[in-house]
Amino acid sequence: DGDLKFSLESVKKLKALMDENIHSNSRVGISKASYSPCDEKDLPEEFQSVCKREDASMIFERLTLAVQEADLCEICANAACAGCF
């Protein structure tokens, strides 16, 4: 994301945390907008620096979108990949 780089595995863990928490919170009436993965104890360490940024929520949203497609190959999910269709 911009000048930030994260491993694909960490982004997958981030997406799983966000999906799980948003699903749980929607049942009790907590909105997606009020959720922050920075509050998760299982958040991968490499995202701690993102939590200190004002644009953290936008960064997390873009990262989870990168692995949103269920059939997206792992090579093409990597932003450094060239030649993906």
Side-chain angles (χ1 to χ4, degrees):
D1 187 78
D3 60 340
L4 303 171
K5 297 182 188 324
F6 307 101
S7 70
L8 181 58
E9 287 305 312
S10 289
V11 175
K12 286 181 178 181
K13 287 178 186 174
L14 170 68
K15 181 183 180 314
L17 282 173
M18 291 179 74
D19 287 349
E20 179 182 310
N21 194 290
I22 289 168
H23 178 70
S24 297
N25 286 340
S26 66
R27 289 184 290 176
V28 293
I30 298 173
S31 73
K32 179 180 177 180
S34 65
Y35 169 71
S36 172
C38 296
D39 299 331
E40 296 288 341
K41 63 179 169 71
D42 296 330
L43 183 69
E45 183 70 30
E46 64 184 298
F47 294 121
Q48 295 303 319
S49 62
V50 175
C51 290
K52 297 174 186 170
R53 297 173 55 127
E54 287 185 23
D55 58 346
S57 62
M58 292 187 315
I59 292 171
F60 288 132
E61 186 66 29
R62 286 191 300 265
L63 289 172
T64 57
L65 287 175
V67 292
Q68 194 69 24
E69 294 293 324
D71 63 345
L72 187 65
C73 76
E74 290 188 9
I75 294 171
C76 292
N78 184 343
C81 177
C84 298
F85 10 168

